[in-house]
Structures are given as structure tokens and as C-alpha cells.
Amino acid sequence: MATPSLSFSRPTFAKLSPHPYLLTNLSPQSPSTKPSRTNGRAPHEARPVQIHTSSLSHAHGSALVRSGNTTVVCGVRAEILPVTNIPQYRPRSSLQPSSTTTSDDDDAADRAELKTYDLLVPNIELATGCAPQFLPGVPPSSLAQTLSTRVYSLLHSCGVVDPKSLRIWHDPSTETKNPDESMQVDDNDEDDEAEPPQLMAYWVLYIDLLFVSFDGNPFDAAWTAVMAALRDTKLPAARWDPDRGMAICSRTKKNPLDVSRGGLPVACTAAVFQEKEYAEAGGLGGENRHWILLDPDRLEESLCRETVTMVVDCGEGETRIRSVEKLGGTVIGRELMRGFVGVAEKRWSEVREAMK
Amino acid sequence: MAISTEPEAALSVLPRADGSAKYSHAGYTVTASVNGPIEAQRRDEHAYEAVVDVIVRPAAGAGGTRERHLESILQSSLSQIILIKNFPRSLIQIVLQIESTPENDYVNTKLVQASLNFPIIPALLQTAVLALLSAAVPMRATATASVVAVVPEGQTKRMVVDPSPRDLDIAKSVHVLAFTSHDELLLAESEGDFTVKEWDDVYETAQRICCRPATTAETDMAIDDEAAGPDMRHFLRSTMETKIAADLHWK
């Protein structure tokens, strides 16, 4: 659709002056043509998500998420952390193996437990070669550090992982009461009947994300991969062996990780593209049209300053917002933010379909 | 816990920096220095605009991923209000040193934490704006920020402005909102579990703190008791007025 005055090809135009290139695509000459982005999508159109789980054989749970040309692999590896190895470990007297947390106080204590003992360790690596801007042999870029902080914060604030499924108990009196822990028990440790069950160790989940290819919108892809991998995670049934002083895992029996409590939070990101590249943002600059581009790719991200990310969960009844991050501009105000909830809800149902 | 409710600030506290400010509010104390516009390094410089470089130093320990995240939030917000186009190929460097943060007396807090620290963002932003004003860096607008937590209270929920660490532990959701002096939403960060309606209420509360018009601040300050929280815009203005009056005292 090159105009006659254009003597060079589309890729050359895009490379030479990316901002006018995207602007020309978004504001077509004839009113009959719909505005589209350089990647052929409509402004409010996101890339379809593809999810494959359990593709890594040595991880306890894994997922590969593809959204356009952004591909991210997430592996969850669980390691056992005996409580004796935790500095400043403080046992909670109210904890019981079968206790269900209902009150708000317990909920807050559970959250604090995950946080103070560092039971969730996400790490994001933007691999060399996944996009031209990432150079080899440098320390983690500020983008990678920002992403892992955001994933870490969201994992904790959503309460995705139930700490109950990360605890490894030693129950001298009632080994047989817990069928999942008694698979390969020799029943040789029944010396004290009255002893209450003791919390001996925790599972620590190392959640590693690797960007195989990077084409914008890293947070949405990373978060989808984390959620898919955690839902796929199966921890081996573990019991505490007091004689050897270590946790013993079952070879065959695996328990799926409980991630039901956090629901299914889905992230949805958009960027704001402004007509004037170096204009005053708003106010004094006069008329400055803008487009809200859902699920921006790498070219669009480099041209947009303002981004908004909303994490929503529409699982039960009213839409719950789990996180909002809006920064870098003043275009999106209260009204646009409200409208964006609807866009995020649509994205949520798309991602939920892909998760099934 | 003696936590001051009124914000306090001092300008030009560091003699050798181009501009500096010290700000304390709700238990947080931050010192900022601004140098700029200075020459940017070749690999950082931008042909059409100034590079804004924000460095956050924690009160204890070396900076980690959390500080990088805070830096990126502040960097993108401050580049919106500084007239960066006026200084191509130059650098405006803002260094923020956190001096003290309120402690939660009920629990042992770890020194290094990876999760995002919401209530520090307004203090950092406010200090940076004051230091930029002190350095006379041209800006499109000033900015004010506030933090609001939604805390459950029995069956109902209550909004707490400038929540204490104890409030934050039990809060259902925490929100940081920043507005420019043109009443535009500059920054919105929220986490927790909330609905659109709750976010709207939080928005109104934060707007009342950040964007109270200057006229009402003069006249009905005394009777305006239902509007909880300090008036940030008035605070910013009076701090600058005091500083200018002191500077021009010799005349």
C-alpha cells in the first residue's frame, strides 16, 4: 500500500523514521480503510496466546508461552529448605497440617510466611540474541530487574501459591492419618504418641523465566508463563525422616501445587502512541491525537512512553483488579482507566481459553 | 512510633549540588540532589532531549532489583514533567538517598526485600520535585503524590491515607497516585484485591490530597475537616515561598 511518492520499501521506511511510519499506518488517507498498526493489527487487537506446558523434563512444572514473536519459557524447580537452615525462624504455634486459613489474620500471616522465608524466587533472563538491544556479557539490565520485581510483587500480592502445599510436616503419632505422606513409610518412628506434628521443612520454588525471543510486552507474556507453569507444577510427596534428619521424597507420588486460592490473574498491557513525537505531552502542546495500542510489539514500545498494565481476575462474579501500573504520561486519566478494565476482561477470557 | 503527619521539607541542604532537598513525611526521610543539565556520556546521550537519570539508594544495604524498579518508575514520571526537549544531548541526574523508613514494631523486618515498596514512592517523587525546583530545572508542571491503603475494618473497608507499616500488613489493597499541577494523572500504581468502584474512591481521595485548588486552601482550610490528609500542593507552594522569602531577605 505504498504511496507513489514513496520510493523506498516499507521496511526501509520503518527503519529510517519509525514514528511517521507508524503514524501513517494509524491514520490512513482514505476514510474507508480502517486504521491499523504496522503489524497489521487493529489498535485494540492483542496477539493470540499459545501455551504449552510440561515441556521441560527436569523441572517440576514448566510452560512455554508464545504471543506473536514474544516467546518465554518458564521452569519451576522446587528445592527443600529445612527450617533449621532458616535464620531467625519462628514457628507459628497455630499451624496445623490440615488447618484451613479462613480469617484475615491467618491470611496475612501466610503471606508474611512466603515473604520472610523467601519461598518464591522468580528470576527473569532476557537472553542474548532474543532482541537486538540485549548485548552479551552484561549484568542484568534494568528492564530484567524491573520485570522480576513486578513478578515477585504480584506473586505475593495475589497470593497465588498457597503456603500450605509448600510445608513438609513430621507427624510422629499419625503417620497413617495422612495417606499422601505414608506411601513408603517404614513406621519405625512411633516412639512418642502425644507429640504434635512438627513443621520440618519448606519447599522453595525457583521460578526461572527465559525470553527466547523478545518482541514487546514482556510482562504479560512472563506473567502468563508463571501462571501456566505454577498450575502445571507437581511436587513429589515428601515426608520427614527423623533418623536421617532430612526430607524424603516419594518416587512415584506427586501432588499438584495448590494455586486455586489466587484465582487466575491475567495481565493486560497497552501503550499510548502520540501523534507528535517530541511534542509537549498534553496541556500546552495543543491538539495531539493519541492511540491506545493493546499488546505493543517492540517497534511500538520504542515509540511510546506511556504504558498501562492492569491485572484482572474475572473468575467469580465481579471483576477483581489485582494490580495497576500506569506511568510515563498523562493521557490516560480516570475515564480511560475505567474503560481499560473492559479491555482487560476481554483479554482475561482469551488467556483463560489458552490455559485450558 | 512518633510519626509526623505533616510533611516537612528543607531546600538546598547540600552546598555543592545544583539543587537539593530533604523531605520527611509519615516516617520516611529522603534527601535528594540534582545536577543538571550536564554533559551526558556518549552512549547515553539522546539527540533531541535530555536524559533523566534517577538513582535510588536504600537506607540500609546496597540497592537491588527493588531500587531498579523504583528508579524506572521515577525516571518515566519525571521525564514527563521536566522540559527535556530544551536540553538535547545533556543529562539531568537525580540522586535520592533514603535516610529512614518507618519500622513495623510487631514483626522482624528483613533488611533486603524484593517486593515493591509502595509508600516510599510519594516521598521519593516529592523529594525529587523539590530538588528539581531547587536546582531551577525548567519543568512543565510540578507533581504531587500520595499513598492510600484500603484496610478492612470488620465487615466494611476504610481508606487510610499515608498508612503505617501495620496498616500495610493487613491492607486489602495499596494505591499510589501522582498528579501533575494541571490535575492530570501522572502515575498510578496499585496492588492487592479491589474493584473498579474502590479504585474510583481511592482516586477521589488521592485527588483531594494532591490537587486541592489553591483558593480553597487559603479560605476554608479550618473548616475543611472531612478532607483527611495533608494538602500536598499547598505544601509544595509554601515551601518554595518560604525559601524564596529567605533568599531575598537581603533586599
Side-chain angles (χ1 to χ4, degrees), chain A residues 75-112:
Chain A
V76 178
R77 173 90 198 161
E79 302 274 339
I80 290 167
L81 173 73
V83 292
T84 47
N85 290 6
I86 303 176
Q88 294 182 342
Y89 172 69
R90 299 206 304 182
R92 272 165 67 197
S93 52
S94 62
L95 270 186
Q96 288 300 317
S98 55
S99 70
T100 47
T101 54
T102 44
S103 72
D104 281 351
D105 269 355
D106 277 353
D107 195 41
D110 278 355
R111 275 193 284 172

Tab-separated table of all heavy atoms in Angstrom, chain A residues 75-112:
chain	number	residue	atom	x	y	z
A	75	GLY	N	10.325	-22.240	33.903
A	75	GLY	CA	10.527	-23.508	34.597
A	75	GLY	C	10.428	-23.298	36.093
A	75	GLY	O	10.986	-22.343	36.617
A	76	VAL	N	9.686	-24.177	36.758
A	76	VAL	CA	9.574	-24.104	38.214
A	76	VAL	C	10.325	-25.286	38.794
A	76	VAL	O	10.042	-26.432	38.458
A	76	VAL	CB	8.106	-24.140	38.667
A	76	VAL	CG1	8.019	-24.109	40.186
A	76	VAL	CG2	7.340	-22.984	38.083
A	77	ARG	N	11.283	-25.003	39.624
A	77	ARG	CA	12.076	-26.060	40.243
A	77	ARG	C	11.914	-25.910	41.748
A	77	ARG	O	12.093	-24.821	42.283
A	77	ARG	CB	13.538	-25.878	39.818
A	77	ARG	CG	14.519	-26.766	40.481
A	77	ARG	CD	14.732	-28.052	39.745
A	77	ARG	NE	15.354	-29.030	40.639
A	77	ARG	CZ	15.345	-30.322	40.423
A	77	ARG	NH1	14.752	-30.829	39.360
A	77	ARG	NH2	15.933	-31.143	41.253
A	78	ALA	N	11.566	-26.986	42.427
A	78	ALA	CA	11.365	-26.908	43.871
A	78	ALA	C	12.564	-27.514	44.585
A	78	ALA	O	13.086	-28.549	44.171
A	78	ALA	CB	10.092	-27.654	44.259
A	79	GLU	N	13.011	-26.858	45.626
A	79	GLU	CA	14.100	-27.362	46.447
A	79	GLU	C	13.606	-27.417	47.884
A	79	GLU	O	12.760	-26.619	48.287
A	79	GLU	CB	15.313	-26.422	46.376
A	79	GLU	CG	15.864	-26.202	44.984
A	79	GLU	CD	16.856	-27.263	44.578
A	79	GLU	OE1	17.400	-27.914	45.489
A	79	GLU	OE2	17.066	-27.453	43.374
A	80	ILE	N	14.178	-28.331	48.665
A	80	ILE	CA	13.740	-28.470	50.055
A	80	ILE	C	14.604	-27.585	50.947
A	80	ILE	O	15.828	-27.565	50.827
A	80	ILE	CB	13.827	-29.941	50.505
A	80	ILE	CG1	12.755	-30.737	49.781
A	80	ILE	CG2	13.656	-30.059	52.009
A	80	ILE	CD1	12.909	-32.209	49.892
A	81	LEU	N	13.945	-26.829	51.812
A	81	LEU	CA	14.635	-25.954	52.747
A	81	LEU	C	14.249	-26.370	54.161
A	81	LEU	O	13.132	-26.101	54.603
A	81	LEU	CB	14.235	-24.497	52.486
A	81	LEU	CG	14.734	-23.454	53.469
A	81	LEU	CD1	16.219	-23.216	53.282
A	81	LEU	CD2	13.979	-22.153	53.297
A	82	PRO	N	15.139	-27.072	54.877
A	82	PRO	CA	14.807	-27.437	56.259
A	82	PRO	C	14.716	-26.178	57.117
A	82	PRO	O	15.473	-25.225	56.901
A	82	PRO	CB	15.993	-28.301	56.706
A	82	PRO	CG	16.725	-28.642	55.458
A	82	PRO	CD	16.463	-27.575	54.481
A	83	VAL	N	13.783	-26.177	58.065
A	83	VAL	CA	13.595	-24.966	58.861
A	83	VAL	C	14.832	-24.654	59.697
A	83	VAL	O	15.045	-23.506	60.073
A	83	VAL	CB	12.356	-25.063	59.781
A	83	VAL	CG1	11.088	-25.070	58.969
A	83	VAL	CG2	12.439	-26.253	60.687
A	84	THR	N	15.666	-25.673	59.974
A	84	THR	CA	16.884	-25.404	60.738
A	84	THR	C	17.855	-24.540	59.942
A	84	THR	O	18.755	-23.932	60.513
A	84	THR	CB	17.579	-26.723	61.106
A	84	THR	OG1	17.638	-27.528	59.930
A	84	THR	CG2	16.819	-27.449	62.193
A	85	ASN	N	17.685	-24.500	58.639
A	85	ASN	CA	18.573	-23.681	57.814
A	85	ASN	C	18.066	-22.260	57.643
A	85	ASN	O	18.692	-21.473	56.945
A	85	ASN	CB	18.740	-24.298	56.426
A	85	ASN	CG	19.542	-25.562	56.475
A	85	ASN	OD1	19.869	-26.035	57.552
A	85	ASN	ND2	19.863	-26.107	55.313
A	86	ILE	N	16.894	-21.963	58.189
A	86	ILE	CA	16.365	-20.613	58.039
A	86	ILE	C	16.841	-19.768	59.202
A	86	ILE	O	16.578	-20.105	60.355
A	86	ILE	CB	14.819	-20.617	58.004
A	86	ILE	CG1	14.320	-21.516	56.883
A	86	ILE	CG2	14.272	-19.220	57.838
A	86	ILE	CD1	12.810	-21.646	56.851
A	87	PRO	N	17.561	-18.679	58.947
A	87	PRO	CA	17.930	-17.821	60.058
A	87	PRO	C	16.698	-17.106	60.596
A	87	PRO	O	15.815	-16.720	59.826
A	87	PRO	CB	18.923	-16.834	59.437
A	87	PRO	CG	18.720	-16.914	57.986
A	87	PRO	CD	18.082	-18.209	57.672
A	88	GLN	N	16.636	-16.935	61.887
A	88	GLN	CA	15.510	-16.276	62.558
A	88	GLN	C	14.179	-16.949	62.242
A	88	GLN	O	13.184	-16.302	61.977
A	88	GLN	CB	15.419	-14.802	62.157
A	88	GLN	CG	16.601	-13.997	62.641
A	88	GLN	CD	16.485	-12.545	62.276
A	88	GLN	OE1	15.711	-12.183	61.407
A	88	GLN	NE2	17.260	-11.726	62.929
A	89	TYR	N	14.195	-18.280	62.244
A	89	TYR	CA	12.945	-18.996	62.009
A	89	TYR	C	12.098	-18.944	63.267
A	89	TYR	O	12.595	-19.234	64.366
A	89	TYR	CB	13.238	-20.447	61.616
A	89	TYR	CG	11.992	-21.294	61.556
A	89	TYR	CD1	11.055	-21.071	60.553
A	89	TYR	CD2	11.742	-22.288	62.491
A	89	TYR	CE1	9.899	-21.821	60.498
A	89	TYR	CE2	10.599	-23.046	62.442
A	89	TYR	CZ	9.678	-22.805	61.435
A	89	TYR	OH	8.528	-23.538	61.375
A	90	ARG	N	10.845	-18.563	63.099
A	90	ARG	CA	9.947	-18.503	64.254
A	90	ARG	C	8.741	-19.378	63.983
A	90	ARG	O	7.923	-19.059	63.113
A	90	ARG	CB	9.496	-17.068	64.507
A	90	ARG	CG	10.673	-16.158	64.803
A	90	ARG	CD	10.253	-14.994	65.639
A	90	ARG	NE	9.173	-14.237	65.039
A	90	ARG	CZ	8.680	-13.146	65.583
A	90	ARG	NH1	9.149	-12.724	66.738
A	90	ARG	NH2	7.712	-12.485	65.001
A	91	PRO	N	8.620	-20.503	64.689
A	91	PRO	CA	7.489	-21.400	64.437
A	91	PRO	C	6.169	-20.732	64.810
A	91	PRO	O	6.107	-19.983	65.787
A	91	PRO	CB	7.772	-22.599	65.332
A	91	PRO	CG	8.988	-22.313	66.089
A	91	PRO	CD	9.497	-20.971	65.755
A	92	ARG	N	5.160	-20.983	64.006
A	92	ARG	CA	3.831	-20.459	64.325
A	92	ARG	C	3.065	-21.546	65.056
A	92	ARG	O	2.856	-22.631	64.544
A	92	ARG	CB	3.093	-20.085	63.043
A	92	ARG	CG	3.356	-18.674	62.589
A	92	ARG	CD	2.919	-18.477	61.174
A	92	ARG	NE	1.477	-18.563	60.999
A	92	ARG	CZ	0.892	-18.737	59.819
A	92	ARG	NH1	1.625	-18.855	58.736
A	92	ARG	NH2	-0.407	-18.794	59.737
A	93	SER	N	2.638	-21.224	66.279
A	93	SER	CA	2.028	-22.249	67.127
A	93	SER	C	0.675	-22.688	66.569
A	93	SER	O	0.253	-23.826	66.752
A	93	SER	CB	1.858	-21.704	68.536
A	93	SER	OG	1.178	-20.468	68.479
A	94	SER	N	-0.015	-21.788	65.883
A	94	SER	CA	-1.373	-22.101	65.437
A	94	SER	C	-1.387	-23.025	64.223
A	94	SER	O	-2.444	-23.506	63.830
A	94	SER	CB	-2.097	-20.808	65.097
A	94	SER	OG	-1.436	-20.153	64.032
A	95	LEU	N	-0.212	-23.255	63.625
A	95	LEU	CA	-0.202	-24.014	62.380
A	95	LEU	C	-0.479	-25.490	62.606
A	95	LEU	O	0.072	-26.104	63.504
A	95	LEU	CB	1.170	-23.890	61.713
A	95	LEU	CG	1.344	-22.727	60.755
A	95	LEU	CD1	2.690	-22.840	60.091
A	95	LEU	CD2	0.248	-22.733	59.729
A	96	GLN	N	-1.345	-26.035	61.794
A	96	GLN	CA	-1.615	-27.471	61.804
A	96	GLN	C	-1.567	-27.958	60.348
A	96	GLN	O	-1.862	-27.195	59.445
A	96	GLN	CB	-2.998	-27.750	62.392
A	96	GLN	CG	-3.089	-27.521	63.895
A	96	GLN	CD	-2.148	-28.393	64.694
A	96	GLN	OE1	-2.010	-29.572	64.414
A	96	GLN	NE2	-1.478	-27.811	65.666
A	97	PRO	N	-1.207	-29.235	60.148
A	97	PRO	CA	-1.098	-29.716	58.765
A	97	PRO	C	-2.397	-29.563	57.993
A	97	PRO	O	-2.384	-29.308	56.797
A	97	PRO	CB	-0.729	-31.190	58.932
A	97	PRO	CG	-0.200	-31.328	60.286
A	97	PRO	CD	-0.800	-30.250	61.119
A	98	SER	N	-3.518	-29.762	58.676
A	98	SER	CA	-4.782	-29.754	57.942
A	98	SER	C	-5.524	-28.440	58.084
A	98	SER	O	-6.630	-28.303	57.601
A	98	SER	CB	-5.664	-30.883	58.469
A	98	SER	OG	-5.791	-30.736	59.868
A	99	SER	N	-4.903	-27.473	58.777
A	99	SER	CA	-5.644	-26.252	59.069
A	99	SER	C	-5.951	-25.491	57.789
A	99	SER	O	-5.130	-25.397	56.884
A	99	SER	CB	-4.848	-25.368	60.012
A	99	SER	OG	-3.725	-24.849	59.340
A	100	THR	N	-7.152	-24.980	57.727
A	100	THR	CA	-7.526	-24.160	56.587
A	100	THR	C	-7.536	-22.714	57.044
A	100	THR	O	-8.082	-22.396	58.091
A	100	THR	CB	-8.911	-24.542	56.062
A	100	THR	OG1	-9.778	-24.627	57.183
A	100	THR	CG2	-8.870	-25.853	55.328
A	101	THR	N	-6.925	-21.874	56.269
A	101	THR	CA	-6.851	-20.475	56.660
A	101	THR	C	-8.112	-19.775	56.205
A	101	THR	O	-8.440	-19.751	55.026
A	101	THR	CB	-5.634	-19.804	56.026
A	101	THR	OG1	-5.697	-20.030	54.636
A	101	THR	CG2	-4.366	-20.343	56.591
A	102	THR	N	-8.819	-19.238	57.168
A	102	THR	CA	-10.052	-18.543	56.832
A	102	THR	C	-10.003	-17.093	57.252
A	102	THR	O	-10.450	-16.230	56.520
A	102	THR	CB	-11.242	-19.229	57.522
A	102	THR	OG1	-10.848	-19.512	58.858
A	102	THR	CG2	-11.633	-20.486	56.805
A	103	SER	N	-9.459	-16.819	58.425
A	103	SER	CA	-9.509	-15.447	58.919
A	103	SER	C	-8.478	-14.584	58.195
A	103	SER	O	-7.543	-15.076	57.589
A	103	SER	CB	-9.254	-15.419	60.415
A	103	SER	OG	-7.892	-15.702	60.651
A	104	ASP	N	-8.691	-13.277	58.298
A	104	ASP	CA	-7.793	-12.339	57.649
A	104	ASP	C	-6.407	-12.364	58.280
A	104	ASP	O	-5.404	-12.187	57.595
A	104	ASP	CB	-8.368	-10.927	57.738
A	104	ASP	CG	-9.460	-10.716	56.709
A	104	ASP	OD1	-9.613	-11.599	55.850
A	104	ASP	OD2	-10.156	-9.697	56.778
A	105	ASP	N	-6.358	-12.593	59.590
A	105	ASP	CA	-5.071	-12.611	60.270
A	105	ASP	C	-4.202	-13.751	59.768
A	105	ASP	O	-3.017	-13.596	59.515
A	105	ASP	CB	-5.295	-12.763	61.783
A	105	ASP	CG	-5.403	-11.413	62.459
A	105	ASP	OD1	-5.204	-10.409	61.747
A	105	ASP	OD2	-5.683	-11.367	63.666
A	106	ASP	N	-4.836	-14.931	59.609
A	106	ASP	CA	-4.098	-16.090	59.100
A	106	ASP	C	-3.617	-15.829	57.689
A	106	ASP	O	-2.517	-16.201	57.312
A	106	ASP	CB	-5.000	-17.321	59.113
A	106	ASP	CG	-5.031	-17.967	60.484
A	106	ASP	OD1	-4.243	-17.516	61.338
A	106	ASP	OD2	-5.832	-18.885	60.691
A	107	ASP	N	-4.473	-15.186	56.913
A	107	ASP	CA	-4.135	-14.880	55.537
A	107	ASP	C	-2.900	-13.993	55.479
A	107	ASP	O	-1.964	-14.240	54.722
A	107	ASP	CB	-5.339	-14.191	54.890
A	107	ASP	CG	-5.223	-14.157	53.389
A	107	ASP	OD1	-4.797	-15.183	52.828
A	107	ASP	OD2	-5.536	-13.120	52.803
A	108	ALA	N	-2.887	-12.955	56.333
A	108	ALA	CA	-1.738	-12.043	56.372
A	108	ALA	C	-0.496	-12.784	56.836
A	108	ALA	O	0.600	-12.582	56.313
A	108	ALA	CB	-2.043	-10.866	57.290
A	109	ALA	N	-0.670	-13.695	57.824
A	109	ALA	CA	0.474	-14.452	58.326
A	109	ALA	C	1.025	-15.388	57.253
A	109	ALA	O	2.232	-15.561	57.130
A	109	ALA	CB	0.053	-15.246	59.557
A	110	ASP	N	0.109	-15.974	56.456
A	110	ASP	CA	0.547	-16.839	55.359
A	110	ASP	C	1.363	-16.062	54.341
A	110	ASP	O	2.388	-16.532	53.846
A	110	ASP	CB	-0.672	-17.459	54.666
A	110	ASP	CG	-1.180	-18.681	55.415
A	110	ASP	OD1	-0.509	-19.067	56.387
A	110	ASP	OD2	-2.215	-19.220	55.024
A	111	ARG	N	0.877	-14.871	54.029
A	111	ARG	CA	1.597	-14.040	53.069
A	111	ARG	C	2.979	-13.686	53.596
A	111	ARG	O	3.968	-13.733	52.887
A	111	ARG	CB	0.803	-12.763	52.760
A	111	ARG	CG	-0.220	-12.968	51.686
A	111	ARG	CD	-0.734	-11.644	51.201
A	111	ARG	NE	-1.675	-11.048	52.140
A	111	ARG	CZ	-2.164	-9.816	52.018
A	111	ARG	NH1	-1.771	-9.050	51.030
A	111	ARG	NH2	-3.027	-9.346	52.884
A	112	ALA	N	3.012	-13.337	54.904
A	112	ALA	CA	4.293	-12.970	55.511
A	112	ALA	C	5.240	-14.157	55.521
A	112	ALA	O	6.442	-14.007	55.350
A	112	ALA	CB	4.064	-12.456	56.926
